[in-house]
Amino acid sequence: MKPAETQNGIRRVVLALDPGADYRAALGEAIALATALQAELNTLFIEDVGLLGAARHSFVRRYAPMRARWEPFGESEIESAFKDLAGRVRAAVAEAASRDRLPWSFKVVRGEVEAAALSAAQDADLVVLGAGQDALLAGLRSPSLARLGKRARERSVLYVRPKAPVARLLVVAYDGAPGADRALGVAARLADPSELTVALIASDAKDAGELEKQARGMLGDRVAGTAFITLPKASAADLCGLSTRVGAGALVIGADNPLLRNAAARKRLDETTCRVLVVR
Amino acid sequence: MAREGNMAENSGTESGSPAALPTALSAEALRRVCDPATIPFATTREAEPLKTVVGQDRAVAAVEFGIGIRREGYNLFALGPPGTGKHTLVHDYLTRAAAEEPTPPDYVYVNNFDDPHKPRALKLPAGRAAALHDALEALVRELRTALPGAFESDEYVSRRQMIEGEFKRRQEEMFEALQARAKEKGVALMRTPVGLMFAPVRDGEVIEPKEFEKLPAEEQERLKNDIEALQEDLQKSMEQLPAWSKELRDKLRELNREVTQFAVGHLIQAVREAFADAPAVVAYLDRVEADIVDNAFDFIRSVMAQDAGAGGAMGGQPGRRAPEAPDDDTLFRRYRVNVLVDNREVTGAPVVYEDHPVLGNLIGRIEHTAQFGALVTDFNLIKPGALHKANGGYLIIDARRILMQPLSWEELKRTLRSEEIRIESVGQLMSIVSTVSLDPEPIALDIKIVLVGDRQLYQLLCALDPDFDGLFKVQAEFQHVMTRTDEGVGDYARLIATLAERHELRAFDRAAVARIVEYGQRLADDKERLSTSFRDILDILRETDYWAGRNGNGTATAADVQRAIDTKIHRGDWVRELIHEQITRGTVLIDVDGEAVGQVNALSVLQLGNFSFGKPSRITARVRLGKGEVVDIERQVELGGSLHSKGVLILSSFLGARYCADRPLALSASLVFEQSYGGVDGDSASSTELYALLSALSGLPINQSFAITGSVNQHGEVQAIGGVNQKIEGYFDICSTLGLTGRQGVLIPNTNVKHLMLRHDVVEACEAGRFAVYPIATIDQGIALLTGVPAGERGVDGVFPEGSVNARVEARLEDFAKKARAFAKGRLGPDNEEADA
């Protein structure tokens, strides 16, 4: 067994690309992640059936931002656009992966974006879902834990946010659960100890001490420099606030964390500007 | 022999009548010996170094005048023979004068932020350019740290997030409002690879067309209308986005400017204060500050790109430069300072000698670098020329070299006329390059140019270049000789000492110096002059030093000097030996004894490279009845030059005037240089040719022991010629080889006696009576000496004395005239007799 597999169990990263997203930024994130985890990168280009269905309506038109006007639009145009975009994405993935010497694959599937990604990536250890930094349309749609509902917990997923901070700092939500242990392991793999902040979800100092002891045990000799902060309330708002305060690039959370069972919490996590990495 | 008669001690040419027999010259007249006692030091080591130039008073005065006068066009042209010390004198004088003058300002080229193709020239106080260069380099280094620091500060991040958040909030609100309105109406806003669209939805999923068909017609119509309305709303909203984006960019730019200003303001202010005495620099720094503020984000991008490793797994791609980030060099080159003139090390005004005055070395050049197959340039690649380096001072250029370089001379004149240095490439000057290049701001020129060249070049420029007179008004003429006075010999000796010391040669003793003074006289070909060809003097000093070393002499002696002279001659005299051998072996016919009618030994000088020597030639003359013409056979076959022909024509005139004043010169004579297969020119053999003619006409034989040189005028006066020493020595060498008889000698013009500086062996032979040199003033003196028969002066009766040379010649010519008349009578017949009379 390879050391990476023993430490984080992530051997395959699947990048699921929404045809409406700016694929370049998401690809950059996925490449960096796969490189750090020494994993292979599988790219899924998802032809969104919603877009196809919509394009079949005779009265639906498309707004071309560059020309600032509405134009006729049909199924053939969207099919053609999917094909063109898939070709460009494949070329970009090939170039980036070969530059970083990553094992890679590319696949086109059709379906609803997040669901299709989770379904198609059955054997993936981590799915990267994301919109890029498309400033003009940044507010339109981001990968959503809320939209996925309980399926958000079925798989390890990195939710890439538009305009996420460029930083290596990671905040890990740690409550001592097995998912939290795995989340801490992955986080330790992605960043140096000095770039880690472990949010100990504990109601009192005693519990916090225990959790810290447990976390330190998990990190072993990679603990030096790691910051430990106690969060008495395990709310999504607190976690998001902490991430913002420390300028974190990502919030890492175990898939079995109770917050993910709460729709409001998932919605709050969708609102944070940093990336969210759910580790199953 | 004539010299055994009533001869004066030195020269008999001044004494007696023009026909008086000349006397042989004494040893003192043949060579002027420099008495070592006149040398003012025992060895050159003790001599006081000479600080002035010897024998060039005229040139020195001209150079001093040229340096002193500060008017347009008063540049100098130092002209004279090679090796006369032009460069040394000019350089020394300029250096001395320049040391008293103020050091000129420094110049730099900097970026022109308004038009980068026209770099700006900045003038700074002397020695400050390098400081400005270093200050700007340090500023850029500081910026690399200070700017990112400022942009990473909490305050900046916070303010930026506030601005961006406002934009994002506005945008999100717009889309949210639109989406909310759409949702209310059962419509969703969707993003596609090719734009946005609205589609009917139910429970968050798009209603497929088949399902849509099943909806009530009213519902379908409503949805269509709603979608159309939403599209109009979206269009209106989207039309606001560019304005919002611009507003965002403006706000961010203003924030960046503010932060940059704060970060760099104090850094630039420090530089500004350091250069407060240079207003142009202060103004430039204002532009630098403005440009940095305008382009601060480029700095940040560059720094971030270099530090991209910090991005890590979650924030970027390790070790990879952002593709849109300009590299450091591109960014910061524009703030560099290109130091063109740095006078830090200069005290006084600069004196520059440009020994390779190609255009680029003269006015500067613009270099290029290759980037992706194209040649690019900027102000950093402007290189200075000699005019820049010498600006405010003096520039010395070799005239021949600059004239041989394409465009350099024209560009130098243009620069002097316009009084500004404008750097242009050859391509631009020739209008053969049309690509975009630089047009650097011209630099004001305040310079004195000193051209150094020979006289011929100067005269050609005067004659052929209409601009020359106006630009080079001061002529500093260097002479190849100086007058030999006692004081002059002292200075000359000190010059020898100075050269020996300057060139690190061993010391020369008094006798050696005296011998070199004599060598200087010989180089001048004049016992009353000294050569100012200091290059030749220096050569002989160096060679003497070598031979002294070979001889183990710590101090060079006269013997070492003599050996240096002898070996120098020996190295170059192979051809002379060859020619002399042809004579001594009888291949070339020259008699050095006996008598012959119409035959005489002439002397000529051959110049081969740096070595010249005398060579005897036989001239013969034949006469017969004719129409008064003396035929120059050399001229007829185009081997004779025009000066030689002139000499021969003078002979006709002389003969006609002296012997046939009242009757036709019924003579046809031919003259030839026997065994001469090359060209002959000059009139130095004209007296010799006349002697041959007189011998042929009189029938009197000429003593072949003599060789003759000298030109003659229409009155029979013998005139000076050149190369007298070489000619005498040439004939002496032949006679020595064949055996000196004591009767041999050379007839030279009386006016050449002052030029005699003969070799020691010649002088010794003359002193011992084995050889002789006769000064001749008139043809009558010469012919008397050559034939042993008095020339004869016309008496009061108008008749030459019986038996004299002139009487014989006149009689022969009269005879020719009679025969000619008789011949004419016979040809014309008795009817024409009266007309002939």
Side-chain angles (χ1 to χ4, degrees), chain A residues 19-20 32 50-51 53-54 56-57 59-63 68 70 73 99-100 135-138 140-141 166-168 275, chain B residues 171 189 191 193-199 206-209 212 227 231 234-235 238 241 310-315 317 320:
Chain A
L51 294 179
R56 288 191 193 108
H57 287 289
F59 55 86
V60 166
R61 305 204 301 165
R62 63 137 180 162
Y63 180 77
W70 290 95
F73 188 54
R99 190 174 57 213
D100 289 352
L136 186 67
L137 302 173
L140 194 55
R141 191 177 185 185
V166 179
R168 291 173 66 98
R275 302 160 190 80
Chain B
Q171 194 172 322
L189 175 59
R191 184 165 51 186
V194 287
L196 300 170
M197 67 179 179
F198 285 106
V206 173
I207 303 174
E208 288 284 327
F212 189 80
I227 285 176
Q231 284 177 346
L234 178 63
Q235 171 118 21
M238 294 297 278
L241 287 182
M314 287 295 179
Q317 299 174 28
R320 191 165 303 134

Side-chain angles (χ1 to χ4, degrees), chain B residues 442-697:
Chain B
I443 289 176
L445 181 70
D446 172 21
I447 201 168
K448 186 80 79 177
I449 303 285
V450 182
L451 287 181
V452 180
D454 57 46
R455 186 172 289 108
Q456 186 185 15
L457 210 52
Y458 177 80
Q459 286 161 355
L460 282 172
L461 284 167
C462 284
L464 302 176
D465 189 335
D467 302 326
F468 181 71
D469 275 349
L471 293 174
F472 291 87
K473 295 178 189 289
V474 184
Q475 167 189 2
E477 185 139 12
F478 285 70
Q479 298 158 357
H480 68 289
V481 292
M482 58 182 275
T483 303
R484 186 197 191 283
T485 60
D486 290 344
E487 186 186 353
V489 168
D491 288 343
Y492 209 75
R494 284 173 61 201
L495 170 74
I496 291 166
T498 305
L499 288 174
E501 186 190 358
R502 188 179 293 171
H503 294 273
E504 297 176 351
L505 305 177
R506 71 194 65 224
F508 287 66
D509 69 18
R510 181 174 271 137
V513 173
R515 183 68 191 89
I516 292 167
V517 171
E518 291 174 9
Y519 181 71
Q521 292 169 201
R522 174 57 193 257
L523 283 177
D525 266 335
D526 196 323
K527 63 166 76 84
E528 296 168 6
R529 298 278 185 274
L530 285 163
S531 170
T532 53
S533 178
F534 302 122
R535 188 165 64 192
D536 290 328
I537 298 294
L538 181 58
D539 284 349
I540 215 69
L541 290 177
R542 287 180 175 135
E543 290 168 27
T544 300
D545 178 75
Y546 169 78
W547 288 114
R550 285 281 299 267
N551 295 336
N553 294 335
T555 300
T557 65
D560 296 325
V561 176
Q562 190 58 51
R563 182 157 188 192
I565 294 169
D566 292 343
T567 52
K568 189 181 183 73
I569 291 170
H570 183 68
R571 290 197 298 272
D573 76 346
W574 180 75
V575 175
R576 179 181 68 169
E577 276 187 21
L578 206 64
I579 290 172
H580 285 189
E581 195 179 80
Q582 287 176 335
I583 295 171
T584 54
R585 293 176 68 193
T587 308
V588 173
L589 299 178
I590 298 288
D591 290 337
V592 295
D593 209 354
E595 293 181 333
V597 174
Q599 175 180 305
V600 66
N601 294 327
L603 292 167
S604 57
V605 173
L606 292 185
Q607 177 88 34
L608 294 173
N610 291 327
F611 181 66
S612 60
F613 59 93
K615 167 185 170 292
S617 300
R618 173 181 288 177
I619 290 178
T620 59
R622 299 298 297 270
V623 294
R624 61 186 176 87
L625 179 64
K627 293 181 179 176
E629 59 190 2
V630 176
V631 176
D632 175 10
I633 289 181
E634 307 299 324
R635 182 67 175 175
Q636 295 295 312
V637 296
E638 296 182 350
L639 283 174
S642 52
L643 290 177
H644 183 254
S645 297
K646 177 188 172 190
V648 173
L649 290 173
I650 287 171
L651 303 188
S652 297
S653 171
F654 171 79
L655 290 174
R658 171 173 276 198
Y659 303 110
C660 302
D662 52 358
R663 59 175 175 272
L665 180 62
L667 167 72
S668 178
S670 57
L671 288 166
V672 64
F673 267 71
E674 302 290 356
Q675 291 184 287
S676 167
Y677 308 105
V680 174
D681 202 5
D683 64 350
S684 71
S686 59
S687 70
T688 317
E689 290 163 331
L690 184 52
Y691 294 134
L693 272 178
L694 295 176
S695 168
L697 285 168

Side-chain angles (χ1 to χ4, degrees), chain A residues 126-179:
Chain A
L126 173 63
V127 179
V128 179
L129 284 176
Q133 300 180 8
D134 182 346
L136 186 67
L137 302 173
L140 194 55
R141 191 177 185 185
S142 290
S144 165
L145 286 92
R147 239 187 347 263
L148 279 173
K150 66 177 184 180
R151 299 178 68 184
R153 292 175 283 144
E154 291 175 355
R155 195 159 305 286
S156 295
V157 179
L158 172 66
Y159 297 85
V160 179
R161 303 297 184 200
K163 300 282 181 184
V166 179
R168 291 173 66 98
L169 290 172
L170 300 181
V171 168
V172 188
Y174 190 74
D175 59 4

Side-chain angles (χ1 to χ4, degrees), chain B residues 42 124 149 156 304 392 493 588 807:
Chain B
L124 293 99
Y156 173 76
M304 282 170 60
V588 173

Side-chain angles (χ1 to χ4, degrees), chain A residues 259-274:
Chain A
L259 286 174
L260 297 180
R261 297 193 197 100
N262 183 307
R266 288 199 301 271
K267 189 169 186 305
R268 179 64 187 87
L269 288 172
D270 280 341
E271 291 169 357
T272 185
T273 54
C274 73

